[in-house]
Amino acid sequence: MVRQSTRPPGDGRLSRALGDPEFGRHFTDHMVLIDYCETGGWRDARVVPFGPLSLNPGSAVLHYGQGVFEGLKVYRHADGHLRAFRAHAHARRFASSAARLAMPELPESLFIESIRQLARADAGWVPHQRGASLYVRPFLIATEAFLGVRPSREATYGVIASPAGPYFADADNGIRLWLSRDYSRAGPGGTGEAKCGGNYAASLPALHQARANGCAQVLFTDASTRTWVEEAGNMNIFFVFADRTLVTPPLSGAILAGVTRDSVLCLARDMGYRAIERPISVEEWRAAAASGELREVFAVGTAAVITPVAGLVGEDLLIETPPPGSRSVASLMRAELSSLHHGDRHDRHEWMSDLGRADS
Ligand SMILES: Cc1ncc(COP(=O)(O)O)c(C=O)c1O
């Protein structure tokens, strides 16, 4: 991959961003770009200074929404190496999101190499403090200029990055979810399992309602019957029962197959919990919370990692879950993941991809 030019850090942005790495507010000095065209394949891979893209106003992504993205984190380890959490799983999901939107699938090796190149070019932007990381955002947009509905024959792949601190302020006390009765995030046969911008745009009015009702996120249920729990905004959701069972809704096609979700299922089994994927209804949530059988609810995702859910609020509904104690499954899970992220624990599942030394 060609590094076209470098932009020296030090204009004050870096120290401001690292001093207070809010989520997604500051961008690093560089970005990766790779072009695609149907006849020539992937070409012209380059690391360039971060800046505006030049886009033909007729580009398909602007009109028909043909675009997908990913989100993963890079950590600085004590041995001086930068490592990405489950980069291969993100690469596979990126390719399947692209396929769902009739876009070219970026080879896994190019995806990994693009992360490596950007992380090394902007190594100074990877925070040192615990819990913080460099959030990396790969994206793919359809760039062929034409009007008409058909797959674009040209695309641009890009990677940008932003130092990341905690996602929700005050997340330790748990967030409240708003039960959306008016809006669905995804339906059968739709794009719910793809990471495409349209899913997020369509979820925004529901988020607006959630905020108006004092909730941080939306609980989406199935579009057909509004009975079954699907996702907590841009996170997957877990329920912990008194018999040491963890339940998360199955991947129905409407739910994003979260990498954190998969990691939690795996770690929970390692830790001796029964971790299962099965449908769970809002009514079961209400009844189990009332009987005391339900011990915890938490949401999971790359950005926020593990976030306890304090309650579910609806038009005529309030379900509260007990506040998570220090021995809660949510905090055990968060500690376990954090140890892996920061390289304090043996990485027995080989989830951390070594991107090389930060100073090389
Ligand atoms: C809709 C949605 N669900 C779940 C997740 C969690 O997925 P992951 O753990 O891979 O970040 C995300 C975030 O990517 C998301 O946008």
CSV table of all heavy atoms in Angstrom, one decimal, residues 1 32 108-118:
chain,number,residue,atom,x,y,z
A,1,MET,N,0.8,-1.2,0.0
A,1,MET,CA,0.0,0.0,0.0
A,1,MET,C,0.9,1.2,0.0
A,1,MET,O,1.8,1.3,0.8
A,1,MET,CB,-0.9,0.0,1.3
A,1,MET,CG,-2.1,0.9,1.2
A,1,MET,SD,-3.3,0.6,2.5
A,1,MET,CE,-3.9,-1.1,2.1
A,32,VAL,N,-7.2,5.6,4.7
A,32,VAL,CA,-6.8,4.7,3.6
A,32,VAL,C,-7.9,4.7,2.5
A,32,VAL,O,-9.1,4.8,2.8
A,32,VAL,CB,-6.7,3.2,4.1
A,32,VAL,CG1,-6.7,2.2,3.0
A,32,VAL,CG2,-5.5,3.0,5.0
A,108,GLU,N,-10.4,-10.4,2.5
A,108,GLU,CA,-10.1,-10.3,4.0
A,108,GLU,C,-8.7,-9.7,4.2
A,108,GLU,O,-8.5,-8.9,5.0
A,108,GLU,CB,-10.3,-11.6,4.6
A,108,GLU,CG,-10.5,-11.6,6.1
A,108,GLU,CD,-11.0,-13.0,6.6
A,108,GLU,OE1,-11.9,-13.6,6.0
A,108,GLU,OE2,-10.4,-13.4,7.6
A,109,SER,N,-7.7,-10.2,3.3
A,109,SER,CA,-6.3,-9.8,3.5
A,109,SER,C,-6.2,-8.3,3.3
A,109,SER,O,-5.4,-7.6,4.0
A,109,SER,CB,-5.4,-10.6,2.6
A,109,SER,OG,-5.9,-10.4,1.2
A,110,LEU,N,-6.9,-7.7,2.3
A,110,LEU,CA,-6.8,-6.3,2.1
A,110,LEU,C,-7.5,-5.5,3.2
A,110,LEU,O,-7.0,-4.4,3.6
A,110,LEU,CB,-7.6,-5.9,0.8
A,110,LEU,CG,-6.8,-5.6,-0.5
A,110,LEU,CD1,-7.7,-5.1,-1.6
A,110,LEU,CD2,-5.7,-4.6,-0.2
A,111,PHE,N,-8.6,-6.0,3.8
A,111,PHE,CA,-9.2,-5.3,4.9
A,111,PHE,C,-8.2,-5.3,6.1
A,111,PHE,O,-8.0,-4.2,6.6
A,111,PHE,CB,-10.5,-6.2,5.3
A,111,PHE,CG,-11.3,-5.6,6.4
A,111,PHE,CD1,-12.4,-4.8,6.2
A,111,PHE,CD2,-10.9,-5.9,7.8
A,111,PHE,CE1,-13.2,-4.3,7.2
A,111,PHE,CE2,-11.7,-5.4,8.8
A,111,PHE,CZ,-12.8,-4.6,8.5
A,112,ILE,N,-7.6,-6.4,6.4
A,112,ILE,CA,-6.7,-6.4,7.5
A,112,ILE,C,-5.5,-5.5,7.2
A,112,ILE,O,-5.0,-4.7,8.1
A,112,ILE,CB,-6.1,-7.8,7.8
A,112,ILE,CG1,-7.3,-8.8,8.0
A,112,ILE,CG2,-5.1,-7.9,8.9
A,112,ILE,CD1,-8.1,-8.6,9.3
A,113,GLU,N,-4.9,-5.5,6.0
A,113,GLU,CA,-3.8,-4.7,5.7
A,113,GLU,C,-4.1,-3.2,5.8
A,113,GLU,O,-3.3,-2.4,6.2
A,113,GLU,CB,-3.3,-5.1,4.3
A,113,GLU,CG,-2.0,-4.4,3.9
A,113,GLU,CD,-0.8,-4.7,4.9
A,113,GLU,OE1,-0.8,-5.6,5.6
A,113,GLU,OE2,0.1,-3.8,4.9
A,114,SER,N,-5.3,-2.9,5.4
A,114,SER,CA,-5.7,-1.5,5.4
A,114,SER,C,-5.8,-1.0,6.9
A,114,SER,O,-5.4,0.2,7.2
A,114,SER,CB,-7.1,-1.2,4.7
A,114,SER,OG,-8.1,-1.9,5.5
A,115,ILE,N,-6.2,-1.8,7.8
A,115,ILE,CA,-6.3,-1.5,9.2
A,115,ILE,C,-4.8,-1.3,9.7
A,115,ILE,O,-4.5,-0.4,10.5
A,115,ILE,CB,-7.0,-2.5,10.1
A,115,ILE,CG1,-8.4,-2.9,9.5
A,115,ILE,CG2,-7.2,-2.1,11.5
A,115,ILE,CD1,-9.4,-1.9,9.4
A,116,ARG,N,-4.0,-2.3,9.3
A,116,ARG,CA,-2.6,-2.3,9.8
A,116,ARG,C,-1.9,-0.9,9.4
A,116,ARG,O,-1.3,-0.3,10.1
A,116,ARG,CB,-1.9,-3.5,9.2
A,116,ARG,CG,-0.4,-3.6,9.7
A,116,ARG,CD,0.4,-4.6,8.8
A,116,ARG,NE,-0.4,-5.9,8.6
A,116,ARG,CZ,-0.5,-6.8,9.5
A,116,ARG,NH1,0.2,-6.7,10.7
A,116,ARG,NH2,-1.2,-7.9,9.2
A,117,GLN,N,-2.1,-0.6,8.1
A,117,GLN,CA,-1.4,0.6,7.5
A,117,GLN,C,-1.9,1.8,8.2
A,117,GLN,O,-1.1,2.7,8.5
A,117,GLN,CB,-1.7,0.7,6.0
A,117,GLN,CG,-1.1,-0.5,5.2
A,117,GLN,CD,0.4,-0.3,5.0
A,117,GLN,OE1,0.9,0.8,5.2
A,117,GLN,NE2,1.1,-1.3,4.7
A,118,LEU,N,-3.2,1.9,8.4
A,118,LEU,CA,-3.8,3.2,9.0
A,118,LEU,C,-3.3,3.3,10.5
A,118,LEU,O,-2.9,4.3,11.0
A,118,LEU,CB,-5.3,3.2,8.9
A,118,LEU,CG,-5.9,4.6,9.4
A,118,LEU,CD1,-5.3,5.7,8.6
A,118,LEU,CD2,-7.4,4.6,9.4
